[in-house]
Amino acid sequence: FSHRFSHKHEFSYGASATYYRLMPGSNQPLDELSLVKSDVIATEQALENAIYFGDKFEVTDKLALNLGLRYSIYSFLGPKEVNVYQDGVPRTMTNLLETKKYGGGSIINTYHGPEFRLSTKYSFNPDFSIKAASGEAQRRRLQASGMKKAAAGGTTQRGFSLSKGGGVSPRNALQ
């Protein structure tokens, strides 16, 4: 949704939900002489919900700022068997505490946090502008060999670009 509350401020807000179904695939031998062992990587699924708010502030006719905040909640879902290991020691079978079984659609782990965005655009004329952007997004990483704790850390992205004719390049797409 988007609303212009004055000639200088345009607010946008909304919510989103995304279901992820990852099918990593398999590794198969080429023929019976191959040393490669057959391996099928299990399908994984997750659900991400988010709310966001943004303000496009036109400081002058040539200078605009975009400020944004997004809060996302990412849930890693079953079915899955998860190995739990002792903390602070190598992940080996001797350090295995238990194997937890999660049913289909059950929440294995949830990560959440704010994601900040800032961009600025200076228009020299209607056909030429410069834009700089910075954003922080939550990064989810599932540990391959049974996750005791999966990591969710911040990733900061920054971009800088010149634009002619209003085109969008990959580096100026952050908003």
Side-chain angles (χ1 to χ4, degrees):
F1 300 102
S2 180
H3 296 285
R4 185 170 284 280
F5 287 102
S6 73
H7 69 283
K8 292 199 176 267
H9 288 277
E10 181 178 347
F11 295 104
S12 59
Y13 57 92
S16 66
T18 305
Y19 172 73
Y20 299 98
R21 184 170 172 87
L22 306 172
M23 294 179 275
S26 64
N27 191 15
Q28 302 296 330
L30 186 58
D31 58 33
E32 64 276 350
L33 298 175
S34 176
L35 298 176
V36 174
K37 293 183 181 179
S38 180
D39 186 22
V40 177
I41 302 170
T43 299
E44 295 180 351
Q45 57 186 355
L47 180 63
E48 183 177 29
N49 298 296
I51 56 172
Y52 65 90
F53 173 80
D55 179 16
K56 181 179 179 184
F57 175 41
E58 295 175 8
V59 181
T60 68
D61 290 344
K62 295 183 179 271
L63 180 64
L65 296 174
N66 278 300
L67 307 165
L69 173 64
R70 180 177 189 264
Y71 194 88
S72 65
I73 302 168
Y74 180 91
S75 298
F76 179 50
L77 305 173
K80 184 129 180 118
E81 289 186 7
V82 178
N83 291 335
V84 179
Y85 297 93
Q86 295 177 35
D87 286 332
V89 295
R91 292 182 176 201
T92 63
M93 292 308 290
T94 57
N95 295 324
L96 179 66
L97 297 175
E98 67 176 309
T99 299
K100 290 186 178 181
K101 295 182 181 184
Y102 294 90
S106 62
I107 296 174
I108 296 171
N109 211 341
T110 298
Y111 314 96
H112 58 90
E115 301 171 0
F116 303 97
R117 290 164 169 74
L118 168 67
S119 69
T120 184
K121 177 182 172 186
Y122 186 83
S123 299
F124 292 94
N125 60 51
D127 292 327
F128 184 72
S129 65
I130 186 171
K131 183 175 183 179
S134 181
E136 183 172 291
Q138 294 296 316
R139 176 184 51 194
R140 288 95 191 165
R141 180 175 55 85
L142 303 177
Q143 297 173 353
S145 62
M147 49 178 257
K148 164 82 171 84
K149 295 179 183 173
T155 299
T156 301
Q157 300 172 336
R158 290 182 181 88
F160 179 88
S161 68
L162 297 174
S163 176
K164 185 170 181 356
V168 175
S169 69
R171 294 193 63 129
N172 72 352
L174 271 178
Q175 293 194 27

